[in-house]
Amino acid sequence: MSRFGEPQHPDFQRLNASIGFDRRLWPQDISQSRAHARMLADSAIISAEDSDALLAGLEEVERELSEGSFRFAPEDEDIHMAIERRLTEIAGAVGGRLHTARSRNDQVVTDLQLYVREQSVHAQVAIARLMAALLLRAEEHVDWPMPGYTHLQRAQPVYLSHHLLAYFWMLARDRARFAAAERATRRLALGAGALAGVNFDTNRHLVAHELGFEEPAPNSIDAVAGRDFILDYLSAAATCSTHLSRLGAELVLWSSAEFAFCELPDSWSSGSSIMPQKKNPDAAELLRAKAPRVVGHLAALHGVMHALPLTYNKDLQEDKEHLFDVVDTLELTLAAAAGMIAAAAFDRERLSDAASDELAAATDVADLLVRLGVPFREAHGAVAGLVRAALDSGRRLSELSAGELARHSETLAAHRDELAEVLTQRSWLESKVSEGGTSLARVREQLRAARAELDEGPSA
């Protein structure tokens, strides 16, 4: 029997159905249904015989789903109803007892909690693989000079290892964010019912323990209405994808003929349909392009949740497609980034040549003046004048005469030997002795810290 006097319009059925995308939640739905069936028997809400029949039926449903032989029916609105329908076909009328003391509202949230928890762990593992690839390449190129940039203009030289490790530490924070998203799923929603709890004295702690939750959610309304654990995952993914987009952008630049700092392998490149000579960094470009897609899903789910009255509303069905697409996108982009970093071939001579421009030592020259007693602002102005003179005459700073030096700084003219030492490339790099700087000793410290970070992982 139904309270409705006419069937649903076909277009509404298509709008309402989620089976096309939520079917991937079947492993989580089977797991929680098993735990629920056992709890119902333990709480004497159903008999042990009925629980055994439900568990046997769920085992068969699981086998069919895992083997791909499960047949979805036209009336299956979502994966939860599909599993219950097939369970009833297998176990008989007892299949209808499984939904005792639960609602699809708390059922679907629990499935999503389990899914987000698993995917948060997978993301941490994938991030660790990329971190390991970056660390290995940093160790391999520990003392390779390259130019550092601000405003995409050559600024100060750094070691390639130092630059690669910048992404390592970004990803370490990303991994910690996914660990936090994992922790956000630790309060069990199942048992909250539709919104107010259920009419049975269920043992939610038993279910929580079996499914790996720390404890039941303390408020039934919040349990069925909340999706902030998904927002936490999407937020972590959005920030991580943004970091990957920056890495992708630099790989595109570095592999261009204009930079020629590295070459990406053929296995991570594409050709042109019309220009046979082209080798395009398409994989790196897609790291850039995928990031706003992930950020868009985060913004979209915030839009779904914005001003949504408690408790359950059908709007919440829109949580899944945003989540699933982000999971798939992040998995792919993290794997691609790790593959490209592991296989990129860096050009030591090209990197070193680009880092050898004496103008990059301008700050070091100013600091020399400071050590010689000149106020920094005065030193900055003097060196700026020297840079202008060198540029106007097409010469290097080391090629300026004593008279030219004296016109801008009598102090520098009197300390030409010290200036010459500062203008050697290795001096520019090794002068950055502050903690976290690019001097070789500090980079080696950083490598040790990075190895410890990778091995220890995020705190629980």
Side-chain angles (χ1 to χ4, degrees):
M1 292 291 291
S2 170
R3 76 176 298 279
F4 298 100
E6 59 183 20
Q8 290 181 344
H9 191 284
D11 288 343
F12 172 57
Q13 289 179 328
R14 291 192 299 117
L15 177 66
N16 192 51
S18 60
I19 190 65
F21 51 85
D22 71 9
R23 63 178 64 190
R24 74 162 69 187
L25 292 174
W26 73 259
Q28 292 76 26
D29 204 67
I30 293 288
S31 294
Q32 70 140 304
S33 292
R34 283 197 178 106
H36 186 66
R38 292 190 184 103
M39 181 277 296
L40 289 175
D42 185 80
S43 301
I45 297 171
I46 65 173
S47 67
E49 292 77 14
D50 284 348
S51 178
D52 290 342
L54 290 173
L55 293 172
L58 287 168
E59 184 175 354
E60 175 60 20
V61 174
E62 181 181 40
R63 184 191 66 78
E64 293 179 3
L65 284 163
S66 62
E67 293 178 354
S69 61
F70 187 97
R71 293 187 178 181
F72 291 93
E75 65 270 20
D76 291 337
E77 180 181 316
D78 54 38
I79 188 61
H80 323 291
M81 298 304 294
I83 289 175
E84 184 175 328
R85 171 192 56 78
R86 181 60 181 142
L87 174 63
T88 303
E89 292 173 354
I90 294 169
V94 69
R97 296 189 184 279
L98 181 61
H99 206 56
T100 305
R102 75 176 181 182
S103 162
R104 268 193 296 179
N105 293 358
D106 60 347
Q107 182 181 2
V108 68
V109 178
T110 304
D111 284 355
L112 286 167
Q113 288 177 311
L114 292 169
Y115 181 80
V116 168
R117 182 200 304 169
E118 293 168 11
Q119 295 306 321
S120 295
V121 172
H122 293 164
Q124 292 173 68
V125 171
I127 288 170
R129 291 195 190 103
L130 177 52
M131 292 169 65
L134 286 162
L135 179 54
L136 178 61
R137 302 317 303 274
E139 291 169 339
E140 292 172 347
H141 304 86
V142 63
D143 59 351
W144 287 32
M146 68 169 291
Y149 294 85
T150 64
H151 307 279
L152 205 56
Q153 306 295 314
R154 290 178 185 171
Q156 293 177 312
V158 297
Y159 287 116
L160 176 58
S161 53
H162 191 55
H163 195 113
L164 292 174
L165 286 170
Y167 287 104
F168 177 95
W169 296 111
M170 290 183 202
L171 289 159
R173 297 192 297 274
D174 291 329
R175 186 171 62 164
R177 276 183 275 269
F178 280 107
E182 178 190 354
R183 291 193 295 273
T185 67
R186 292 184 180 178
R187 285 184 164 179
L188 174 73
L190 196 65
L195 77 156
V198 297
N199 297 333
F200 299 90
D201 187 15
T202 57
N203 188 342
R204 297 182 68 204
H205 286 275
L206 181 67
V207 178
H209 177 74
E210 179 168 340
L211 294 177
F213 290 88
E214 290 182 352
E215 60 184 349
N219 183 283
S220 61
I221 291 176
D222 178 48
V224 298
R227 294 296 188 276
D228 46 310
F229 64 95
I230 301 179
L231 290 171
D232 289 343
Y233 178 92
L234 297 183
S235 179
T239 302
C240 183
S241 296
T242 299
H243 290 156
L244 295 180
S245 77
R246 302 183 77 177
L247 176 60
E250 294 207 315
L251 289 174
V252 170
L253 290 172
W254 291 357
S255 62
S256 68
E258 284 71 19
F259 280 74
F261 290 171
C262 73
E263 182 177 1
L264 295 176
D266 292 350
S267 57
W268 289 102
S269 305
S270 301
S272 166
S273 64
I274 190 172
M275 295 170 284
Q277 84 282 8
K278 293 293 294 300
K279 183 178 180 180
N280 298 325
D282 285 0
E285 291 173 358
L286 286 168
L287 290 186
R288 295 186 308 197
K290 296 292 186 182
R293 172 175 177 160
V294 173
V295 174
H297 283 304
L298 170 62
L301 187 56
H302 270 294
V304 169
M305 301 298 297
H306 171 72
L308 193 66
L310 299 175
T311 55
Y312 182 79
N313 299 271
K314 194 64 174 182
D315 311 52
L316 293 173
Q317 181 171 289
E318 288 296 303
D319 56 4
K320 299 170 193 62
E321 289 181 281
H322 297 302
L323 172 62
F324 296 156
D325 188 69
V326 167
V327 165
D328 294 342
T329 301
L330 185 68
E331 177 186 19
L332 188 56
T333 51
L334 283 168
M340 283 186 283
I341 286 296
F346 293 97
D347 187 325
R348 183 168 195 163
E349 182 176 357
R350 179 73 176 183
L351 286 163
S352 182
D353 287 347
S356 65
D357 185 351
E358 284 184 354
L359 294 182
T363 302
D364 296 77
V365 176
D367 286 342
L368 170 62
L369 284 171
V370 170
R371 289 196 298 272
L372 294 172
V374 178
F376 180 79
R377 283 301 166 200
E378 182 181 333
H380 185 282
V383 176
L386 289 173
V387 169
R388 182 74 266 163
L391 289 172
D392 288 345
S393 61
R395 288 175 295 163
R396 297 159 65 90
L397 288 174
S398 58
E399 294 171 339
L400 297 177
S401 67
E404 288 172 307
L405 289 176
R407 277 197 295 272
H408 295 280
S409 172
E410 292 286 354
T411 303
L412 279 181
H415 294 82
R416 293 190 67 187
D417 290 344
E418 292 169 73
L419 174 62
E421 184 178 339
V422 167
L423 292 178
T424 61
Q425 183 193 67
R426 196 62 69 167
S427 170
W428 316 337
L429 289 154
E430 291 306 309
S431 65
K432 305 302 184 292
V433 295
S434 59
E435 187 173 356
T438 196
S439 66
L440 197 54
R442 291 302 193 180
V443 170
R444 292 192 189 281
E445 287 179 353
Q446 188 183 166
L447 286 168
R448 291 191 291 272
R451 180 61 63 185
E453 174 73 23
L454 183 61
D455 293 342
E456 292 173 7
S459 59

